[in-house]
Amino acid sequence: GNTGDEIPMPTYFRFLPLLAFKIFAAEQVDVAIMEVGLSGKFDATNVVQTPTVCGISSLGYDHMEILAGNTLGEIAGEKAGIFKLGVPAFTVPQPDEAMCVLEEKASQLDVHLQVAAPLDINLLNGLHLGLDSEHQYINAGLAVALSSTWLQRTGHLEVNYLLQQTTSLPEQFIKGLTTAALQGRAQVVPDQLMGIESPGNLVFYLDGAHSPESMEVCAKWFSLAIKDYHEPISFSNLVDDYKRASLESVRMDHHETSKKNLTQILLFNCMSVRDPQLLLPRLMNACASHGVQLKKALFVPSISM
C-alpha cells in the first residue's frame, strides 16, 4: 500500500524484512535464512512464529548503543528472544555469563538448546573454508548444525549427520563451505587500475568488523593475510561498508621485483553510533601484537559519493 501522513514509511529494519518476505513469497523459495537485524526479542523477523530451527552466533558488544543491556548477560537475554516454543536451537561456545542466560530462556520455552562445536578442518577433505579465517570455523560448525537440522526436520535427510559429523560431511556441505564468499568480510581485492606493467602493486584488504571483539579477529586475519600474500603489495584500512566499520588494507611496492618498502596504510571509518575510542585501539593493539605496524592512517566520514 501507499505510505503517507496516516501510514508512515516503516523504519529500515522493519521495511527490509517486509520486502524480503514479499520476495520470498513471490519466488516461492524452499528455505529462507533470516538474520536478525537488531536485538532479538523485538526484531521484525520475530513475526515468523514457527521457524524450523534457530541459531545464535558468538555474542559480543555489537549494537550496544541500540540493545537494551550493556552486559553480555542482558544482550544474551535480548538475543534469546528469537527462541520459539519447542523449536530446536543451536549456539556456539559462549562466555558463561551469556550461556547461563541462553540456557535459562531456552528451558522456559521448552527449547532444546545445543552447543555446536567448531568445524573440524579435517572434514573438508584437504580444502579450506571459503571464508577462511580462524573464527569462521566456529560459524561453520553452527551452519552445519542448522542446515542438518533443517534437512532432517523437513524430511530431506534420513541419516542424522549431526551425530556422524565427527567422521564425514556430505559432499554438498563441503562444496558450500569451501566456496562461500561474502563481500566485505575477509576479502582481498587486488587493484586492477594500477597498470599492466606492475600488476599486484596495490591490494585492498576489506573487512566489515564493527565490534571490539571482531576488531581483534579482523586484525589477526589481516596480519596473517599479508604474510601469506605472495605478490609484492601493501596498504591497509578499515572502511564502513553496508553500515559497518570495515578494514581495508593495501600494500604498495615501490620496486616491482623487491618485497621491501611495503607500506601499510589504515583507512578507517566509524559510524556515528559507534565509539571509535572503543574500536580503534583494539584494532591497532591487535595488529601490533602480530608484528604489523601501520605507517599511515586515513580517517574517512560516512558519506556516499
Side-chain angles (χ1 to χ4, degrees):
N2 295 326
T3 59
D5 292 338
E6 291 181 17
I7 306 174
M9 182 73 176
T11 62
Y12 178 78
F13 280 102
R14 288 183 181 173
F15 176 71
L16 211 58
L18 190 64
L19 181 63
F21 292 142
K22 179 176 172 60
I23 293 169
F24 295 158
E27 295 295 324
Q28 299 181 312
V29 298
D30 297 312
V31 56
I33 302 166
M34 294 178 297
E35 183 184 7
V36 171
L38 299 166
S39 177
K41 191 186 298 181
F42 300 111
D43 191 76
T45 55
N46 259 347
V47 298
V48 177
Q49 292 298 303
T50 52
T52 307
V53 61
C54 295
I56 293 181
S57 57
S58 300
L59 291 175
Y61 290 96
D62 178 31
H63 294 310
M64 270 180 67
E65 72 285 347
I66 298 164
L67 291 181
N70 283 349
T71 69
L72 270 184
E74 288 168 319
I75 290 173
E78 286 291 316
K79 296 292 186 184
I82 70 166
F83 291 160
K84 301 291 181 295
L85 190 65
V87 173
F90 289 88
T91 188
V92 297
Q94 305 278 9
D96 290 344
E97 185 188 353
M99 191 63 84
C100 288
V101 175
L102 293 181
E103 287 170 348
E104 184 190 341
K105 299 284 184 186
S107 66
Q108 290 170 4
L109 287 167
D110 191 27
V111 166
H112 182 44
L113 177 64
Q114 297 179 67
V115 178
L119 184 75
D120 182 350
I121 192 171
N122 296 316
L123 296 177
L124 296 178
N125 295 346
L127 301 171
H128 290 271
L129 289 178
L131 300 168
D132 191 26
S133 55
E134 197 174 292
H135 73 289
Q136 292 294 357
Y137 287 83
I138 296 173
N139 293 333
L142 181 60
V144 166
L146 294 172
S147 302
S148 300
T149 304
W150 184 86
L151 287 167
Q152 283 171 262
R153 296 193 79 206
T154 53
H156 291 82
L157 263 192
E158 292 178 17
V159 184
N160 187 346
Y161 277 113
L162 289 174
L163 298 177
Q164 294 194 343
Q165 191 196 328
T166 47
T167 53
S168 67
L169 273 180
E171 188 186 326
Q172 298 95 320
F173 277 45
I174 294 173
K175 184 181 179 186
L177 290 165
T178 56
T179 58
L182 188 61
Q183 289 186 333
R185 180 62 80 197
Q187 183 183 12
V188 181
V189 184
D191 194 305
Q192 302 299 317
L193 304 175
M194 288 296 285
I196 353 174
E197 298 82 13
S198 54
N201 275 7
L202 179 65
V203 174
F204 293 87
Y205 291 77
L206 301 156
D207 195 86
H210 53 291
S211 69
E213 295 86 356
S214 61
M215 282 290 170
E216 293 186 0
V217 171
C218 174
K220 183 175 182 181
W221 161 73
F222 170 60
S223 304
L224 294 173
I226 59 172
K227 288 169 188 168
D228 290 345
Y229 204 91
H230 302 304
E231 294 293 329
I233 50 171
S234 184
F235 155 104
S236 82
N237 35 18
L238 199 52
V239 191
D240 197 321
D241 188 19
Y242 301 110
K243 294 210 163 194
R244 41 196 191 187
S246 116
L247 169 71
E248 191 181 336
S249 160
V250 181
R251 299 189 297 162
M252 289 173 290
D253 190 345
H254 303 297
H255 304 290
E256 196 176 332
T257 54
S258 163
K259 292 203 176 181
K260 297 173 184 174
N261 300 326
L262 302 180
T263 306
Q264 272 92 25
I265 303 171
L266 174 71
L267 177 58
F268 187 86
N269 173 280
C270 184
M271 293 179 66
S272 56
V273 293
R274 305 198 190 283
D275 182 1
Q277 293 186 47
L278 194 62
L279 301 180
L280 189 57
R282 297 287 277 267
L283 178 76
M284 301 304 294
N285 293 340
C287 278
S289 71
H290 289 94
V292 173
Q293 298 295 334
L294 300 167
K295 308 295 188 298
K296 267 186 187 177
L298 306 173
F299 296 90
V300 295
S302 302
I303 298 174
S304 299
M305 303 304 287

